[in-house]
Amino acid sequence: MKLGYLALLPLALSAQAQECGTVTIAEMNWGSASFLANMDRFILEHGFGCEAELVPGDTMPTTTSMVEKGQPDIAPELWTNSAKEALARGVDEQRLRFAGNSLSDGGEEGFWVPQYLFEQYPEMAKIEGVLKHRALFEHPESDDLSAFYGCPAGWTCQITVEHLFNALNLEDAGFEIIDPGSGAGLAGSIAKAYERQEPWFGYYWAPTSVLGKYPMVKVDFGSGIDFEEYVDCTTQVECENPKVTMYPPSAVHTVTTERFASQAPEAYKYIATRSFPNAFMNGLLAWMEDNQADGEEAMYYFMESYPEMWQAWLDPAIAKQVADAL
C-alpha cells in the first residue's frame, strides 16, 4: 500500500498543479503585507503545486488591475475601506471575491497609554482615569499643560484625532496636542517614554512594530463605536460638533480573483482560512525591524518558529509537504 501511495503521489501533485496553475500575488510595500505575500507564495507553491509569483502591489493600483485585468490573482492584505467602490464593482461583476480577514481584528486605532502605566494606575484603562492623573503627562514646553501626542500633520488621522480630542474635552481638562512632526517622531516619543518608564498618552495604530516592542493599553472612551458618527463627522474635515466614539476597526481583507477561487478551490480554502491577530502581527513586525528582515526572511522565521499556527490552516498531508519543503 505504501509503494502504491508513493507511486501515485507524483500524479496527484501533477493534477493539483494543473488545477492551480500560475498564480500571481501582490506584494505590497509594507512589512505585514510583504510577509503575507511571501508566506502565501511558499504555501501555494509547495502545498498546492501552484506556480506562484510575487508582483509589486499597492492598494488602489492592485485593486484596479484585479477588477479590470484579472491580475494579480491574490491581494493578501488589502485595506478595503480605501477602495470600497472599485471592490464592490468587482464583486458585483463576479470578478473578485473577499476571501477572508488577513488581520482577524482589523486595523486598529486609538488613544493609548503604556502597559507599565496601566499596571500602576489600572483606572487609566478608561478616559476618566487618564483625566484623573493628567498632571503625570508632562508637557515638554509648559508646566501648566499636559501632553497628548497626536497624529503627524498632513496625515489622514490628524483629522480624526483632533475631532476626538475636542469631543473628549481634553483641552478643557488641560491637555494640548503635540505634533510629533513625523511617524518616526511619534514612534520615538513612545520609545523615549519606555526607556525612561515615563507617562505617555497619545494616538497610535496597529499592527505596527512599535506596539510589538512597546506594549500599550488602549484607553476606553466609554462610548462604544458609533459608526455613523465616525463616517459622517469624525473623519470629515468639516465636523462642527464631534461626538465621542471609539475608532471602528479598519477592514483588512484578502481579496482574490473569481478565476483563482473557482479554478483552485482547495488553495482558495487555505487563503480564506489563514488570519493573524494584531497582537501577534505586532510582535512579528517588531522582529522584522530588530533583525532588518524582509518579507521572505520573516516568512521563514514564522514558519520555522510557529508551525502549529500555519499547520492548523492546512490538511495534514498538505502541511507535511510544506514542512518538508522548509
Side-chain angles (χ1 to χ4, degrees), residues 109 160 226-235 245-248:
E109 297 175 87
T160 62
D226 186 337
F227 192 76
E228 186 176 344
E229 169 70 16
Y230 182 80
V231 171
D232 294 341
C233 191
T234 313
T235 57
T245 175
M246 295 293 285
Y247 282 93

Side-chain angles (χ1 to χ4, degrees), residues 177-239:
I177 297 178
I178 294 177
D179 180 359
S182 65
L186 184 57
S189 72
I190 295 176
K192 181 180 176 182
Y194 248 84
E195 287 167 8
R196 301 178 180 183
Q197 294 288 285
E198 293 176 344
W200 186 95
F201 177 44
Y203 166 86
Y204 218 76
W205 69 96
T208 53
S209 61
V210 169
L211 295 193
K213 286 184 178 182
Y214 309 112
M216 307 287 279
V217 172
K218 185 159 64 173
V219 177
D220 187 349
F221 300 158
S223 62
I225 297 169
D226 186 337
F227 192 76
E228 186 176 344
E229 169 70 16
Y230 182 80
V231 171
D232 294 341
C233 191
T234 313
T235 57
Q236 305 303 311
V237 175
E238 299 298 328
C239 176

Side-chain angles (χ1 to χ4, degrees), residues 262-283:
S262 301
Q263 183 172 307
E266 291 303 312
Y268 175 82
K269 179 183 174 184
Y270 150 70
I271 291 292
T273 300
R274 61 107 178 92
S275 185
F276 288 89
N278 276 345
F280 185 89
M281 189 61 78
N282 287 337

Side-chain angles (χ1 to χ4, degrees), residues 35 38-40 42-43 297-308 310-311 314 322-323 326:
F35 155 70
N38 277 274
M39 182 185 72
D40 287 346
F42 192 90
I43 290 177
E297 291 164 333
M299 176 271 292
Y300 280 115
Y301 165 75
F302 164 72
M303 297 188 74
E304 290 167 358
S305 302
Y306 300 95
E308 71 284 354
W310 61 263
Q311 288 180 11
L314 303 169
V322 176
L326 282 171

Side-chain angles (χ1 to χ4, degrees), residues 120-178:
Q120 189 174 359
Y121 303 100
E123 60 268 35
M124 283 198 189
K126 297 184 178 181
I127 191 66
E128 293 82 6
V130 173
L131 298 180
K132 177 183 175 182
H133 297 286
R134 78 99 177 165
L136 294 174
F137 302 97
E138 295 182 4
H139 194 289
E141 298 175 359
S142 172
D143 293 335
D144 298 325
L145 295 173
S146 298
F148 172 88
Y149 288 86
C151 183
W155 288 27
T156 303
C157 52
Q158 184 186 21
I159 298 169
T160 62
V161 166
E162 289 184 355
H163 287 327
L164 290 174
F165 182 89
N166 292 332
L168 290 164
N169 297 314
L170 293 182
E171 184 176 1
D172 293 343
F175 283 93
E176 181 177 73
I177 297 178
I178 294 177

Side-chain angles (χ1 to χ4, degrees), residues 16-17 20-23 41 44-52 260 264 267:
Q16 196 175 65
C20 186
T22 301
V23 178
R41 180 198 61 76
L44 290 178
E45 182 177 318
H46 296 287
F48 298 93
C50 307
E51 295 178 22
F260 167 75

